[in-house]
Amino acid sequence: KTEEIIRDGAVNINSCYVENDKIYIVGKSNENNLDTKQGFLKEDAYIIEINKESWSVNYYGGIGNEEFLFIFKENENLYLLGRKDKITEGDFGNGGRYESNIFVSLLDSEKKLIDYKIIDRNKEIIGFEKIQNKIFIILSDEVISYDLLLNPLDFEVINHQIISYKLTADGILALFSQKNATIIDFFDEEKEVIDYNKIFKKVEVEDEYLLLIDEKNEYKGDILLMKDY
């Protein structure tokens, strides 16, 4: 049945999370379902859980469009980042108070909604990560952090367009643009900006790579423009 739903285009898959013998798949659904608080009218966010013996699907939404983009699991809870219409009511309603359409949500082990926060930003979403006891939401020119109960912690505005990033296990975040990189240590509150143009003669984009070329026109290395390079 799960294969039929995916094959027939009843769902749009955005990402997945694998834990031992379980797989969580998230995205948006165009199926006509009535599992959301206000009833289905447009597209709903969904979670499919698959294990060796069974599978299940849960829908979340309201009168507008919602979708989950990223997911991870921590301490039996599920954390999801998504987008929605401004006025949706239902599971992620905010009374139209914000122009933003980004939300972060916390679900328990039974996939019941514990809490969610609307992020008052209209920016491109680059990534969603967890390190130690912090959640990081990487946007096109900003990084926002929350604790594991979705209490807001901090935000860092970046002075360049973020196209890729790398987060280390000890909380150092490298944010890459086509011209420079910003290195942030969120646990020591240190920040460093590295300008490629001061080090290399040319910085070129080729396919999915950032090519770094020195004064002798020698190729020195590349940065893969993906969040998990």
Side-chain angles (χ1 to χ4, degrees):
K1 177 63 175 179
T2 309
E3 293 177 357
E4 292 175 2
I5 290 175
I6 295 174
R7 184 177 62 248
D8 293 342
V11 300
N12 181 292
I13 298 172
N14 285 327
S15 64
C16 67
Y17 180 83
V18 179
E19 180 194 50
N20 300 324
D21 61 344
K22 291 183 180 180
I23 300 174
Y24 298 91
I25 301 171
V26 300
K28 60 183 177 181
S29 168
N30 57 21
E31 281 210 306
N32 187 5
N33 67 81
L34 298 175
D35 290 342
T36 55
K37 289 182 179 179
Q38 304 296 331
F40 180 91
L41 291 179
K42 295 186 179 180
E43 291 176 325
D44 277 355
Y46 74 84
I47 303 173
I48 295 175
E49 179 183 334
I50 305 172
N51 58 41
K52 292 181 180 179
E53 300 178 353
S54 63
W55 71 276
S56 64
V57 59
N58 292 76
Y59 297 98
Y60 307 83
I63 63 173
N65 294 311
E66 303 89 359
E67 67 176 314
F68 290 137
L69 300 173
F70 298 99
I71 180 174
F72 66 81
K73 188 175 182 181
E74 179 71 16
N75 298 328
E76 299 303 315
N77 291 327
L78 295 170
Y79 295 84
L80 299 106
L81 186 67
R83 285 191 181 277
K84 69 182 204 68
D85 290 343
K86 177 183 176 181
I87 299 177
T88 59
E89 301 182 23
D91 293 310
F92 307 114
N94 65 355
R97 288 176 296 167
Y98 303 117
E99 293 293 331
S100 172
N101 59 0
I102 303 172
F103 66 90
V104 57
S105 59
L106 169 61
L107 280 64
D108 66 16
S109 59
E110 301 298 320
K111 303 184 198 68
K112 294 180 180 178
L113 186 63
I114 299 174
D115 196 8
Y116 67 93
K117 294 290 189 299
I118 306 298
I119 301 171
D120 191 16
R121 306 288 194 279
N122 274 319
K123 299 178 180 180
E124 181 184 358
I125 299 172
I126 307 299
F128 185 48
E129 300 284 350
K130 196 276 301 182
I131 187 72
Q132 296 184 24
N133 60 347
K134 291 186 177 182
I135 298 169
F136 295 97
I137 298 169
I138 298 108
L139 303 177
S140 55
D141 63 355
E142 186 177 6
V143 180
I144 302 172
S145 59
Y146 291 83
D147 67 17
L148 295 180
L149 295 176
L150 299 190
N151 296 309
L153 295 177
D154 199 3
F155 69 93
E156 185 77 40
V157 176
I158 309 302
N159 61 0
H160 60 76
Q161 188 79 8
I162 300 168
I163 57 178
S164 178
Y165 73 90
K166 180 66 176 179
L167 179 64
T168 68
D170 54 359
I172 297 175
L173 180 64
L175 304 163
F176 302 105
S177 75
Q178 292 185 8
K179 293 184 178 180
N180 52 35
T182 299
I183 312 299
I184 304 174
D185 187 337
F186 279 93
F187 294 93
D188 285 342
E189 299 183 352
E190 293 183 0
K191 178 179 176 180
E192 179 183 5
V193 178
I194 300 172
D195 189 341
Y196 300 147
N197 294 325
K198 292 182 179 179
I199 304 174
F200 301 101
K201 179 180 179 181
K202 289 191 295 183
V203 180
E204 298 178 352
V205 177
E206 182 176 301
D207 296 326
E208 294 181 330
Y209 288 87
L210 194 63
L211 306 181
L212 308 176
I213 301 167
D214 68 7
E215 291 293 333
K216 298 180 181 179
N217 281 330
E218 294 180 350
Y219 167 71
K220 304 301 291 186
D222 56 61
I223 298 171
L224 180 58
L225 304 183
M226 295 175 61
K227 60 179 177 293
D228 56 353
Y229 72 91

